[in-house]
Amino acid sequence: MILLLERAAAEAPDHPAVVTGEGTTTYGELRTAARRVAGGLVAQGVTRFAMVEPDATRIVQLLAGAALVGSEPCQYQADMAPAEFAAQAESLGHDVVVTRRTDLVGPFRVVDPDELAGAEPDTRPGPGEAQPLLIRTTGTTGVPKAARHDWSILGRTVATVSPRPQQRWLLAYGPHQFAGLQVIQHVLASRATLVAPFPRQPRDGVDALLAEGVTCVSATPTYWRFLLAEARSRGVALPALEQATLGGEASPADLLEELRATFPGVRVSQVYASTEFGSVASVRDGRPGLDAAVLHGEANPTSHLRVHDGELWVRAGAGMLGYADASTEAADPADADGEWRRTGDLVEVVDGRVLFRGRTSEVINVGGVKVHPLPVEERISALDSVAAARVFGRANRLTGAIVAVEVVPLGGADDADLDRLREQIRDAVADLPRAWQPRSVAFVDSIQTRGDKTVRRVEA
Amino acid sequence: MAVEKARAVIAEFLARAGKSSDDLSDETPLFGEGLALDSLEAAELSVMLEDVLGTDPFSSAEQLPQTVGDILAFYEVSSSA
């Protein structure tokens, strides 16, 4: 991160690096600020810290400055509720929080990012051996985990990127997400410009495309669908794009066609990546799924992907080093020597294409957000007037899937009781992220089980 | 009939989502300046319509509906077919 920034700043100090609602920052300014942040971190003795910050300019300064001095940053969603933040910061052992928010209080020290950026710059020539960072993810039970990464390994994925200073990339992902960090790294490596509005809804993306000269966008299929719908709804013609990248969910064929029709000449890429495994594969042919030629085999012995019993397996590329909590097992080892890992993605090879068919687990992918049914189910089952509840994924064209729940109310409920219960369910899940909240609530007499297990697979 | 049912579903959805239906007309845009639905809200409306009417324009129509009227028109076509 710091090496990419230093290189870009040396070659093009006056080129715009980051454009946000607060203004434009050049590579030279960004490097100076990162060096000041580094000095501030050292002066304050901060070796690891939580970040709660919406502004991409400050985020890049903090990440790069931390990398220079080997301090370990960990981003949290900028709008996370104070109680939720306090709980997660405690579980990850964060006792320093860099934020401009004033509502985050707890057994931690709050440091203003602008105070760090006002420190004397650190002048060491380059980063040390370790440039750690933590990326938060959600584990199989829905409890947040944090994957330990290092910039020196993450940087390999952009090592061959050539300078394309004319490109302007929209930051459509959260910068706390693996995909968002990939976009930031790519921009720095190509000495391009990051256009980072906040909030990051598709409607903000449309504004950025129209007003900020964006030429490249990386986003989930759900984001793309809504960006196109928003533009149609406003009756505006979107300017041409050079690059459209999709990731996080399977890309439907009709969406790929719509992208090509909307942006003639655009290069369409689909990326297969995850917080745990890093960037694993990408395809550029604009068709759904992956080309089966990317799979491991005699013809392709160095591939990171193979299909085993209908499940996609992966071996480490730019993957993580482990979880923050050493007792947490690394993603399911699939073979005896632990080289290959299960991804949990079910695939089928059809006519030379690897097509995605769903998940082996009960995880529900809602527009790229992985939702675990249990925490949702527990909150609803805990309500006094609920006898039983089953949370499952329901297929949806707009978001891939939505969270659905079947509820068995306690006996004798009339319509008014059910209306009240619907409100209670809404309140019971209000503390969960929006993608986790059930969008379909059905009252039923009994729930579907297989043996004594509740069935939670995604239903068409 | 289907159109009236769809109208009732839209009204119920708006009530549940805490959005006002006072100024609602067929021309009201679903996204942007109109009802400002985001992806999750649109998905919720699509499953509510599907549950009541068996099909919905978000899943079945070639293009996403843009206005309240687009949703109603989908059911006019469906019921006359």
Side-chain angles (χ1 to χ4, degrees):
Chain A
M1 174 56 97
I2 184 68
L3 292 174
L4 294 172
L5 177 56
E6 291 280 355
R7 201 180 62 188
E11 295 186 12
D14 299 326
H15 193 66
V18 184
V19 178
T20 70
E22 299 184 35
T24 297
T25 309
T26 65
Y27 275 104
E29 292 165 343
L30 207 53
R31 173 186 51 182
T32 304
R35 291 225 163 235
R36 287 184 181 278
V37 165
L41 290 170
V42 171
Q44 300 214 21
V46 178
T47 56
R48 65 192 297 268
F49 60 97
M51 285 168 63
V52 188
E53 173 58 56
D55 175 52
T57 306
R58 288 181 176 84
I59 288 168
V60 176
Q61 290 167 9
L62 286 164
L63 294 176
L68 179 64
V69 296
S71 183
E72 182 193 72
C74 177
Q75 295 189 68
Y76 291 66
Q77 285 93 320
D79 58 353
M80 188 179 261
E84 175 74 4
F85 172 77
Q88 292 202 22
E90 189 189 350
S91 79
L92 288 172
H94 280 130
D95 54 10
V96 176
V97 182
V98 176
T99 186
R100 288 177 291 162
R101 280 172 60 173
T102 53
D103 60 341
L104 301 179
V105 285
F108 43 74
R109 181 155 60 102
V110 175
V111 176
D112 188 312
D114 296 343
E115 184 191 329
L116 289 174
E120 282 301 311
D122 190 288
T123 55
R124 72 189 69 188
E129 209 158 282
Q131 304 172 54
L133 78 155
L134 277 186
I135 305 177
R136 293 163 55 260
T137 172
T138 42
T140 47
T141 56
V143 180
K145 295 188 293 189
R148 292 191 295 118
H149 283 269
D150 193 288
W151 288 115
S152 62
I153 297 173
L154 288 177
R156 289 178 197 162
T157 57
V158 293
T160 58
V161 170
S162 47
R164 292 205 170 83
Q166 79 288 358
Q167 288 187 340
R168 291 169 73 88
W169 282 83
L170 175 70
L171 184 63
Y173 290 103
H176 61 281
Q177 295 173 295
F178 184 82
L181 291 169
Q182 280 294 116
V183 172
I184 293 172
Q185 275 206 121
H186 187 89
V187 166
L188 296 185
S190 51
R191 286 153 234 173
T193 301
L194 183 73
V195 177
F198 187 84
R200 281 179 274 275
Q201 295 297 318
R203 66 183 71 118
D204 309 302
V206 171
D207 290 339
L209 259 63
L210 293 172
E212 298 293 348
V214 168
T215 62
C216 304
V217 181
S218 175
T220 61
T222 297
Y223 186 101
W224 278 113
R225 231 185 242 296
F226 277 83
L227 183 135
L228 297 175
E230 177 80 22
R232 269 202 307 274
S233 151
R234 293 194 204 171
V236 295
L238 292 171
L241 285 185
E242 181 181 336
Q243 170 74 43
T245 304
L246 301 90
E249 320 160 60
S251 304
D254 69 314
L255 178 61
L256 294 171
E257 273 169 35
E258 199 178 345
L259 283 174
R260 277 192 296 265
T262 309
F263 306 108
V266 67
R267 186 168 68 238
V268 177
S269 305
Q270 297 154 257
V271 178
Y272 183 79
S274 80
T275 308
E276 281 93 346
F277 305 126
S279 287
V280 178
S282 75
V283 288
R284 295 246 167 91
D285 55 12
R287 294 164 56 202
L290 304 170
D291 188 333
V294 303
L295 293 176
H296 179 263
E298 279 177 21
N300 194 359
T302 58
S303 166
H304 294 290
L305 286 173
R306 64 191 278 200
V307 178
H308 186 90
D309 270 352
E311 183 182 2
L312 198 62
W313 285 11
V314 63
R315 60 179 167 187
M320 65 169 181
L321 310 170
Y323 287 106
D325 172 2
S327 66
T328 308
E329 272 186 46
D332 251 1
D335 61 343
D337 53 10
E339 185 189 4
W340 292 88
R341 311 270 182 206
R342 300 176 203 282
T343 63
D345 282 322
L346 294 173
V347 295
E348 193 180 353
V349 181
V350 182
D351 296 334
R353 299 298 289 186
V354 182
L355 299 176
F356 291 86
R357 296 298 193 218
R359 302 274 305 169
T360 57
S361 72
E362 295 161 342
V363 171
I364 307 164
N365 189 336
V366 180
V369 178
K370 295 202 171 60
V371 175
H372 299 270
L374 264 185
V376 186
E377 206 167 274
E378 284 164 2
R379 280 169 173 76
I380 297 171
S381 303
L383 292 171
D384 287 341
S385 42
V386 169
R390 172 176 92 100
V391 169
F392 56 99
R394 179 168 165 183
N396 186 276
R397 182 182 174 196
L398 301 176
T399 56
I402 54 147
V403 177
V405 59
E406 285 180 352
V407 176
V408 182
L410 279 184
D414 60 25
D415 282 353
D417 293 334
L418 292 182
D419 282 345
R420 264 194 301 280
L421 180 51
R422 200 179 279 281
E423 281 174 33
Q424 288 171 0
I425 291 170
R426 208 166 260 263
D427 292 344
V429 298
D431 64 317
L432 293 170
R434 291 187 66 240
W436 291 54
Q437 299 173 7
R439 299 288 155 179
S440 163
V441 178
F443 296 113
V444 295
D445 294 331
S446 65
I447 60 172
Q448 192 188 347
T449 55
R450 188 183 298 135
D452 55 0
K453 285 193 71 175
T454 303
V455 177
R456 296 199 193 86
R457 287 278 182 78
V458 171
E459 296 178 1
Chain B
M1 278 314 289
V3 174
E4 287 318 303
K5 277 188 191 165
R7 213 182 274 280
V9 170
I10 294 169
E12 189 181 345
F13 162 77
L14 291 173
R16 283 192 201 168
K19 290 179 186 277
S20 165
S21 53
D22 290 352
D23 302 326
L24 200 68
S25 76
D26 287 5
E27 283 73 44
T28 306
L30 299 171
F31 309 107
E33 294 299 298
L35 296 174
L37 300 189
D38 66 14
S39 58
L40 291 168
E41 289 166 335
E44 179 167 352
L45 176 56
S46 78
V47 296
M48 285 178 69
L49 288 165
E50 187 191 358
D51 285 345
V52 172
L53 291 142
T55 170
D56 78 271
F58 295 92
S59 308
S60 307
E62 267 180 31
Q63 286 207 330
L64 285 188
Q66 300 296 321
T67 63
V68 170
D70 289 349
I71 296 179
L72 302 176
F74 174 80
Y75 293 106
E76 271 166 15
V77 174
S78 311
S79 55
S80 63

